[in-house]
Amino acid sequence: MATASFKGESPYARRDERVHHPSDVKYGQFLDQVQGTSSGQEPLRVALIGVGRAGGIHLQNLVSSPSFRLMYVVEADEAKFPQIQKLVDSGCVVTADLNQPLSDIDVEACIICTPTFTHCEIVLQTLKAGKAVFCEKPIGESVEETKRCYDTASDTGNVLFCAFQRRWDPTFADIQRRVRKGEAGHVQIIKSISRDSPLPSIDYLRISGGIFHDCMVHDIDMQCWVIGELPCEVYTMANAQIPEIADIHDYDNVVTTLRFPSGTLGIINVNRFAAYGYDQRLEVFGSKAMFEADNGRPNTCLTSASDSLSRVPIFHSFPSRYEVAYAAEMESFARIVRKVEPLEITYRVSSAISKIADAAQWSAREGVPVDIHWTPDSIPEGYSA
């Protein structure tokens, strides 16, 4: 009974005053759903265009969220129609005709998840039809295409949202907030690892836009967003360890270094295949502290045997690794369209990421460092260069 005096009052005494810690993002999402839509308004009436790798994730989130009313699903492969129709409400139209949702005045926004080479054309069509746009990265295959899309969004007054879902990962977002508050001090090294799993098909890789614009753009965005700075130099070493990837003139094994004006050094390691799972890590080393984002796992069971300790492998692929991030990203889009939340991934952000990816790719091909120059009107708000 030595500790009885520390017992304190009943936990029911202040039950209504207690709130959950903000790091529990899933509980926050639960409250959003049971208390009403995240925007506090009517569900956003949307069409989903493309049900491939990312589109399948967004389809599940759209049908499960009260923030959205899914009116159309557009998919070129009609063999997928029966499975899609099992997931959507009876009032949702499943079609191969893009003109149907674009001509429907009740549709407020379109979620574009088609192959990269189709993005620019579909984004332009959708914006001109008076719809807000959520588009998987990249918006276009070049800085020029990206600018055309954002200029059209500005001219038509419609939202153009470029999807970089890692920003909504709870761990990455926490690190970014703490770095921007100065808790790490001056960041000396920022290092990210992105190793894909499962091995993508060659058919996909042929239309992916290449490893720099398909994969590394996420790491480029992450590093610049976390420290709030754009690099002044990049240098890349890359090769193809997998013969089939070499045959399509792409890389599967890449290391890029970034030099930032403040003295921060960035290191990005991207690989097309990791046999042990979907490897996504981030380390920020500063003068005051170091932050690390490690891989998640499907469960937390620790097995203790006479000669070993073991856990289940890390998540197998991006739908499970970024489940929370994808859902939070889509809710953010609804709030942005409803003007409840500002749009942070602007033209300047998107074009800067593309410019850096172009420089990294050029460095890989030429084997030399590449200087990057920024004009004042190309630097995103909240960044320096």
Side-chain angles (χ1 to χ4, degrees), residues 1-9:
M1 300 299 290
T3 64
S5 60
F6 303 130
K7 186 174 181 180
E9 64 184 359

Side-chain angles (χ1 to χ4, degrees), residues 336-351:
I336 290 167
V337 174
R338 295 300 192 207
K339 304 186 185 304
V340 177
E341 181 180 308
L343 177 68
E344 293 188 357
I345 304 176
T346 60
Y347 163 67
R348 291 188 182 187
V349 173
S350 294
S351 61

Side-chain angles (χ1 to χ4, degrees), residues 19 21 30 47 57 68 82 86 109 163-164 174 177 187 189 198 203 280 293 304-306 314 325 355 360:
V19 295
H21 193 273
F30 164 75
I57 298 169
F68 298 91
K86 291 178 183 178
F164 282 98
D174 185 49
R177 283 191 294 268
V187 175
I189 294 176
D203 286 342
Q280 303 279 290
S304 300
S306 61
I314 62 175
K355 182 176 179 177

Side-chain angles (χ1 to χ4, degrees), residues 248-262:
I248 62 171
H249 308 292
D250 200 0
Y251 305 101
D252 57 60
N253 189 45
V254 182
V255 175
T256 293
T257 57
L258 302 92
R259 182 164 61 86
F260 293 89
S262 68

Side-chain angles (χ1 to χ4, degrees), residues 135-156:
C135 183
E136 281 297 323
K137 58 77 194 161
I139 295 293
E141 291 192 284
S142 66
V143 172
E144 292 74 23
E145 283 191 353
T146 301
K147 186 175 188 303
R148 282 176 59 204
C149 291
Y150 277 98
D151 284 348
T152 302
S154 178
D155 292 344
T156 59

Side-chain angles (χ1 to χ4, degrees), residues 2 6 66 130 156 169 184 230 258 290 316 322 332 381:
F6 303 130
T156 59
D169 175 82
L230 301 177
L258 302 92
M290 179 178 75
H316 182 59
Y322 289 116
S332 180
E381 184 177 352

Side-chain angles (χ1 to χ4, degrees), residues 9 11 38 57 86 111 124 127 134 172 193 202 205 212 214 290-292 333 359:
E9 64 184 359
S38 61
I57 298 169
K86 291 178 183 178
I111 290 83
L124 291 172
L127 291 169
F134 174 113
F172 293 154
I193 293 172
I202 293 297
L205 294 182
F212 292 94
D214 183 45
M290 179 178 75
F291 302 133
E292 293 179 279
F333 175 63

Side-chain angles (χ1 to χ4, degrees), residues 96-128:
D97 183 5
L98 176 60
N99 289 322
Q100 281 191 260
L102 295 190
S103 61
D104 189 335
I105 61 172
D106 288 333
V107 174
E108 299 175 275
C110 292
I111 290 83
I112 299 172
C113 308
T114 54
T116 297
F117 70 89
T118 68
H119 284 183
C120 179
E121 181 181 350
I122 297 176
V123 166
L124 291 172
Q125 283 183 267
T126 306
L127 291 169
K128 291 174 182 177

